[in-house]
Amino acid sequence: MRAAGVQPTQRSLLHEESMGKLSQEKILKIMNMVKNKEVSIEGALHLAQKEVYSDKDSQDLLTGSLFNYSIYKYKHYRWQKRILQIDFNTKTIFNIEKGIIKKQFPFSQVKSCEDSERRRFSIVFHGRQDYELEAVSLDDKRKIMYLLSRVMQSNSCRRLEEPCLGRAAECDVVHEGVLDLQQDSFMSTEWVKYLVQLREGELTLYCIGLGAESRNACSTMNTIHLSGGNMSISKENESGTFSVQTKEHKYLFRIPFTVQNYRTEDVSKLQNEWVSLIERYCQLCKGGSLSQEESQEDTSSEADYENVTVALDEQQEEALHFNTSAATIGLNKPSSPQTKPVKGDIAPASASTPVSISRTEVPPAPPAFFQPCSLSPLAKRTKAFHWDVVPCDKIQKSIWGSCDSGKKKIDASRLCEQFQIQDVAVFSGNEPSGNQHIMLDRKVAHNFSIFLKSFRIKPSELKEKLYIIHEESGGLTDEQITTLRRYMLTPKDAEKYQLFRGCPSELHIVDQFMLEMCKIPHLGQRLDLLLAIRELPVSMGDLEPLINQKIQASKQLHSSQKFVAVLEYILAIGNHLNENAGKEKAKGFRLSSLTKLSLLRGKERTFTLLHALVEQISLHEPDLVKFSQELTEFEAVPDASMKGLSAEVDVLKKELENVTQCRRLIKPRTAKATPQESQFCRELKDLIQKYEGDLSQLSKRCEEMKKLYSSVLVKFGEPQDLDSQELFGWISVFISEFRKACAEVMQYRQRYS
């Protein structure tokens, strides 16, 4: 099929590889844009490449649920390498460094995403500092921002139960067209053509106005997110222009004159259409942003809720012991409207119950405490141990299915003596350059010139340095490679240097280097390759002992019989206390409850339930006191998590794949290869083969780690999505506190013996 008006030369270009991967409908759309002179031939090829990338992204990024990317985070005036993990299963974004989860943010905290120059972008959060990040490649940046747009679109859904993620990701283009975008340079202002697509929550810009010299450069893409709540759009005085203002940038667009839009009224109509549509979606996103902020204000932390609940339960238990009849009468009365304070109001405190100092609203008391029970009026009542109970569906496959707390002997009188409700309630708490013209952008040129002062390499020597893999052999340093990557030319700047026809020696030193960088084919990929090939062995060496430690810890935890026996004692003690407190017995408890043992105090404020556990074990099975000898890997609080380590290994696989692809890309033809190039390729091939073997072994160990940990979670009735950093942390803290309690009990006995 032939489109009228397309010349033979155009048809030959349109049969490029990119066009061959598109549907007939998309090919005709691009050909008609060429016919109407909306885009040039080169612009049409850029559009075709964009469509191919978009189709591939839709397939890869929509089918997965867990995504890991190497990024650089700006902190303390330097860029630190991290892993950005976007987890659609837990709806959380993780900041990981060497297997350690440094920060984690629920999707609901993501407010917007700000695009910046080159590989940089920022994530804007509700109620905390923005994250200024840099992707390792433009392709990674494009994918990350695509995923973040899914996150922000999911936040705009009114109900969490609504399956909005898939709908937002597959959202059709609301409106699209070719617009001119004003771009300023040091000497002049120019208009560059962009294909602009409006979707729900974002405005995507694809540059299609670059010259033929920039064809090998990475395509320029920009995304303006409308969900930040700080957007504004306005018409400009000049005919056919309008501006979009974000927090950081102002974008000035112009309706281009084409074969179809040659009259002023046509241009004005298109201008009004763009402005009204963008305004509409800005208002929709502002509404979603406001509701999101309100929901953030209403959310109370789980820790605060737990503290208030524990304090309130203890107060209610004591009040119940002294005035049971009054409590019963109070339950039979209708609820007062004051028992449910309105947001912003303060609930009146009872005269018999001290007010708990907390910023959270005190939840209503559990009715189970006040319900009639079969306890004798003369029976001694004890404080309740508020543990986390294992769900019934996890009991059968865990240790709790065969656990019988009744076979453990405990000194019930001693427990009642220490944890019975006292006659007097005691509450304690703590009180509170030169004039020479430079072709490059002024700011970029200034920063790059600072770097060149310490870069003792001539422009003509740069290419040779790229064929030396290791720094000790005379190659570039890691810092130099990182800096050169950061100042890679944009396609727009590369076009300027490609058009330069003067004498290079007459240029400023900054321009000389940039001109030389333009002459090196696949420079970005070469720099990425050098940096990755150096970082891979270091990263694998760092991860291997951490993974081995996690494997050993899981094995110890899975095989320790003494630890299970200690848990049985805790279950027996907790059930005894709760039974006397009028609560039901539990068949098992979450290991998070281990950290709560030291929080329940006896009649002596220095004596806790942990001390009681030590006493009971010392009295009946003293050998269990040294149970931690079977758990030597838990001596210190673990830093790295299995989730973080798995993300690190996943990123290493991607980096090695990129190295292999870069090697194929830069591999010279045998007839034209210089001795230096041939040696470089041989050395690179050997290193890749070695690293593939090392990474394969590391991946196997990582899978073993995950399999062992999964069996540990089943054994103790824990949820499968529980990260090892939490579980191992609870056990490590418990071991430390248990030893401390043992020493204190021993001192107590020596003092009173």
Side-chain angles (χ1 to χ4, degrees), residues 5 18 29 35 140 147 155 163 175 202 278 320-321 336 352 401 557 576 609 624 631 663 676 688 691 721 729 731:
S18 297
K29 183 183 75 171
K35 172 188 173 183
D140 274 5
L147 292 170
N155 290 339
H175 190 64
E202 68 179 23
I278 298 175
L320 174 64
H321 180 66
S336 170
S352 61
L557 197 57
H576 180 80
L609 189 58
L624 293 182
L631 302 174
R663 174 180 170 268
Q676 189 182 27
I688 290 175
Y691 295 159
D721 60 352
I731 298 173

Side-chain angles (χ1 to χ4, degrees), residues 662-698:
C662 288
R663 174 180 170 268
R664 296 195 191 104
L665 184 66
I666 67 176
K667 184 179 180 181
R669 297 177 181 177
T670 308
K672 296 183 179 180
T674 64
Q676 189 182 27
E677 292 174 337
S678 300
Q679 181 182 354
F680 174 81
C681 290
R682 284 194 301 269
E683 188 176 357
L684 185 60
K685 180 181 178 181
D686 293 340
L687 286 174
I688 290 175
Q689 290 177 346
K690 180 181 183 303
Y691 295 159
E692 284 176 343
D694 295 342
L695 188 55
S696 176
Q697 293 299 319
L698 191 68

